[in-house]
């Protein structure tokens, strides 16, 4: 780790008031730039937190982040109707060609009750793919596009339609094949040099990206 970044983290956590600020003021512009790039690279690739990956997709798609811990990730107020539209972000990140992006995501600790709520509210779902922290694509789709996939997993996990307290579907996963034919599927963002990253993408994902890219051209 960058030594200046290491010291900054330590000072933030343990230093006296103003000590970190004084340390940073003593660094050159180039050193500060290197520190910041190292910091943001570290968090974009953090395997235990997807916060920065979620925020980048939210901003690029035109939403604002919400502060509700158990709610949706972002929201947008439509100018013409003043209606508020919510979004749920499902990012994937890989650093290996063996672990290819498939346009998917997952709803963790999912329940029949949450599934029913999501169906009623039908938020937008933003699926996005990163390679070593670099954003390649962002898809926007209606939650209902995933209805059949998630309904099948919920039914398999809770065949009686009910659950006991503390029971969850740990990972309700999906991939591009589950929503590629969605009527309102929108390719919000595509990296200009994405072809250089094709070795990190599944064949089905590449096909959908190229088809939507042509229609958006």
């Amino acid at each position: 780790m960058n030594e200046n970044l290491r010291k900054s983290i330590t000072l933030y956590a343990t230093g006296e008031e103003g000590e970190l600020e004084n340390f940073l003021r003593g660094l050159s512009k180039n050193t500060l730039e290197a520190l910041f790039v190292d910091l943001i690279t570290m968090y974009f690739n953090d395997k235990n937190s997807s916060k920065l990956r979620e925020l980048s997709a939210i901003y690029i798609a035109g939403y604002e982040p919400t502060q509700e811990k158990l709610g949706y990730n972002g929201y947008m107020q439509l100018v013409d109707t003043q209606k508020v539209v919510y979004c749920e972000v499902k990012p994937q990140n890989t650093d290996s060609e063996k672990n290819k992006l498939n346009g998917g995501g997952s709803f963790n600790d999912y329940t029949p009750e949450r599934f029913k709520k999501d169906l009623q509210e039908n938020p937008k779902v933003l699926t996005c793919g990163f390679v070593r922290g670099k954003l390649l694509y962002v898809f926007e789709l209606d939650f209902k596009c995933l209805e059949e996939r998630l309904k099948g997993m919920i039914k398999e996990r809770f065949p009686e339609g009910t659950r006991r307290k503390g029971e969850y579907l740990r990972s309700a996963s999906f991939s591009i094949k589950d929503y590629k034919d969605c009527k309102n599927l929108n390719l919000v963002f595509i990296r200009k040099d994405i072809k250089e990253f094709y070795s990190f993408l599944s064949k089905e994902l590449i096909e959908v990206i190229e088809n939507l890219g042509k229609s958006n051209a």
Side-chain angles (χ1 to χ4, degrees), residues 43-207:
Y43 280 101
F44 257 105
N45 288 283
D46 190 343
K47 297 184 185 301
N48 297 312
S49 173
S50 60
K51 186 64 175 180
L52 289 186
R53 296 190 290 274
E54 290 175 3
L55 284 174
S56 63
I58 286 171
Y59 291 138
I60 286 172
Y63 293 84
E64 291 294 327
T66 62
Q67 302 302 318
E68 300 175 26
K69 185 176 181 181
L70 298 178
Y72 297 119
N73 299 123
Y75 72 96
M76 175 194 298
Q77 187 166 28
L78 302 180
V79 176
D80 52 349
T81 63
Q82 298 302 303
K83 177 183 177 182
V84 176
V85 177
Y86 291 96
C87 72
E88 186 79 0
V89 186
K90 299 301 175 186
Q92 286 184 319
N93 186 42
T94 186
D95 58 6
S96 170
E97 295 179 356
K98 295 180 180 179
N99 185 25
K100 295 182 185 295
L101 301 175
N102 64 3
S106 68
F107 293 83
N108 298 325
D109 295 337
Y110 213 48
T111 65
E113 299 93 326
R114 180 58 192 261
F115 178 59
K116 182 178 179 180
K117 174 180 180 291
D118 288 340
L119 273 181
Q120 290 175 340
E121 298 185 359
N122 194 29
K124 294 292 184 178
V125 178
L126 302 179
T127 63
C128 45
F130 296 78
V131 171
R132 302 189 182 104
K134 300 298 184 181
L135 181 61
L136 301 189
Y137 61 84
V138 179
F139 288 108
E140 182 184 50
L141 56 137
D142 294 335
F143 175 84
K144 288 185 177 179
C145 293
L146 302 172
E147 180 177 359
E148 292 306 310
R149 167 64 177 174
L150 298 178
K151 182 192 296 182
M153 299 186 75
I154 287 284
K155 187 174 181 179
E156 182 178 351
R157 177 65 179 86
F158 306 105
E160 302 301 322
T162 58
R163 69 182 182 96
R164 288 177 291 186
K165 185 177 180 179
E167 286 187 330
Y168 304 94
L169 173 57
R170 291 302 176 191
S171 178
S173 62
F174 62 90
S175 70
I176 189 72
K177 68 180 181 180
D178 299 304
Y179 64 86
K180 65 179 183 178
D181 296 320
C182 181
K183 182 172 64 174
N184 296 321
L185 180 59
N186 181 25
L187 183 58
V188 174
F189 170 82
I190 181 171
R191 191 178 179 91
K192 290 182 179 179
D193 60 348
I194 192 170
K195 289 185 178 180
E196 296 183 16
F197 296 87
Y198 271 5
S199 59
F200 293 91
L201 310 183
S202 70
K203 291 182 179 179
E204 197 159 25
L205 176 56
I206 292 173
E207 182 180 336

